[in-house]
Amino acid sequence: QVRLVESGGGTVQPGGSLRLSCAVSGVISSISSMGWYRHTPGKQRDLVAHITSGGDTNYADSVKERFTISRGNANKMLFLQMNNLKPEDTAVYFCHAERRTDYFTRDYWGPGTRVTVSS
C-alpha cells in the first residue's frame, strides 16, 4: 500500500505563490511515477505535472513556466511549487502515485488540498 497526504493549499491573490507538499508512506520502492492533478466542479480531473522515477518531468501547457514539480527526502515527499498563480488555477489538487510491479500496476491518490486564487 501507498499512502499520500497533501498539504499547503490555501487562498492566495493572483500573482502569488504556493507550495504544495505530498507526504508519501508505505511501499514506496516500487513507485514508478508521481504527479499532481487538479479538479474543478464540472470538469474532469486533469494532469498538472508529472515526474518519473528517473526524474523526467512534464507539465500541462497551462502551467508551464509557472509550476515546478520535484521530489525530496528519498522520494518520501512530492512538491509542487506554483508561481504567478491565476484565478483559473483554483481547484482541488491531488497527489498521485503509480506503483508498478511485475504483477500489477496500481494507482494511489491523496484526499486533496484546495487552492483558491482570488483577489
Side-chain angles (χ1 to χ4, degrees):
Q1 279 285 10
V2 173
R3 184 168 181 256
L4 308 173
V5 180
E6 305 94 338
S7 61
T11 299
V12 63
Q13 292 186 341
S17 298
L18 282 175
R19 188 190 196 209
L20 304 184
S21 299
C22 175
V24 187
S25 60
V27 185
I28 64 173
S29 59
S30 53
I31 291 176
S32 57
S33 67
M34 297 193 69
W36 289 94
Y37 288 72
R38 65 188 180 187
H39 179 255
T40 55
K43 297 183 179 180
Q44 64 183 16
R45 189 175 293 188
D46 291 326
L47 176 68
V48 175
H50 178 262
I51 185 167
T52 68
S53 57
D56 294 328
T57 59
N58 69 282
Y59 298 88
D61 288 342
S62 60
V63 307
K64 283 180 180 177
E65 309 300 327
R66 298 189 298 123
F67 290 11
T68 303
I69 188 171
S70 63
R71 297 174 306 185
N73 192 19
N75 293 327
K76 294 180 181 179
M77 294 294 296
L78 182 72
F79 303 103
L80 185 68
Q81 178 65 43
M82 306 186 294
N83 298 328
N84 190 22
L85 282 160
K86 303 176 181 181
E88 51 264 41
D89 296 318
T90 296
V92 178
Y93 285 71
F94 296 89
C95 179
H96 168 262
E98 180 187 83
R99 183 174 164 225
R100 184 174 296 181
T101 72
D102 290 340
Y103 306 101
F104 63 81
T105 298
R106 198 163 290 166
D107 293 311
Y108 299 88
W109 296 92
T113 185
R114 184 175 298 277
V115 172
T116 302
V117 184
S118 174
S119 54

